[in-house]
Amino acid sequence: MFIGESICMLAFVYELYTARKTYGGYEQSPAVIEATKKGKSININPLLFAIPMICDAIGSTLLLFAYLYIPVSVAQMMQGSIVFVTAILSIVFLRRRLFRHHWTGLVLVFVGICLVGLSVIVAGKDDDGDQ
């Protein structure tokens, strides 16, 4: 995840570099001039990147704690709940409409995650057979 975020940051820095080299600065680039004409803000607060960064750090920390208490294979399967949470958040915040095949997929993901979690509770053993 961090590698992907770093690659996006490298692409952003490259775009800034090419805009400065081509137009003398990103403020003079055609896209920025057109956005300014339309009344859009071109100043992005860098602290906005802190919100997903903090969420990612919290998620990674919780996953590391999960590795301590449940088998690694189960923890990785439980990470599949990201699909479910993302779909629900896209409905709430983006007001996106999900169709029948989306809901079917979400129900299958949810049932699969519940079965994997239930297997740990029923078996009561970790990968080594200890508990």
Side-chain angles (χ1 to χ4, degrees):
M1 183 78 106
F2 294 119
I3 293 172
E5 292 168 356
S6 300
I7 291 172
C8 289
M9 187 57 105
L10 288 174
F12 176 71
V13 170
Y14 176 74
E15 283 292 321
L16 282 179
Y17 173 75
T18 56
R20 285 188 182 143
K21 191 169 184 167
T22 306
Y23 305 110
Y26 76 94
E27 295 90 0
Q28 289 84 21
S29 69
V32 172
I33 292 171
E34 188 169 333
T36 307
K37 284 180 185 177
K38 290 182 179 180
K40 295 182 179 178
S41 175
I42 59 167
N43 297 323
I44 299 173
N45 186 355
L47 292 178
L48 285 176
F49 293 112
I51 296 169
M53 181 197 69
I54 290 170
C55 291
D56 188 33
I58 290 171
S60 297
T61 303
L62 290 174
L63 184 63
L64 291 174
F65 278 114
Y67 288 153
L68 294 174
Y69 296 108
I70 59 177
V72 175
S73 59
V74 174
Q76 286 295 331
M77 290 297 293
M78 297 296 248
Q79 203 173 13
S81 65
I82 291 173
V83 173
F84 186 75
V85 172
T86 303
I88 299 302
L89 291 177
S90 71
I91 293 169
V92 173
F93 291 113
L94 300 177
R95 305 204 190 288
R96 187 167 182 205
R97 184 170 183 255
L98 298 183
F99 297 102
R100 189 178 308 151
H101 62 279
H102 295 132
W103 285 109
T104 304
L106 285 176
V107 167
L108 290 173
V109 167
F110 185 74
V111 168
I113 290 170
C114 289
L115 288 174
V116 168
L118 186 66
S119 71
V120 173
I121 294 170
V122 171
K125 296 180 181 179
D126 61 8
D127 291 338
D128 300 327
D130 302 329
Q131 182 87 12

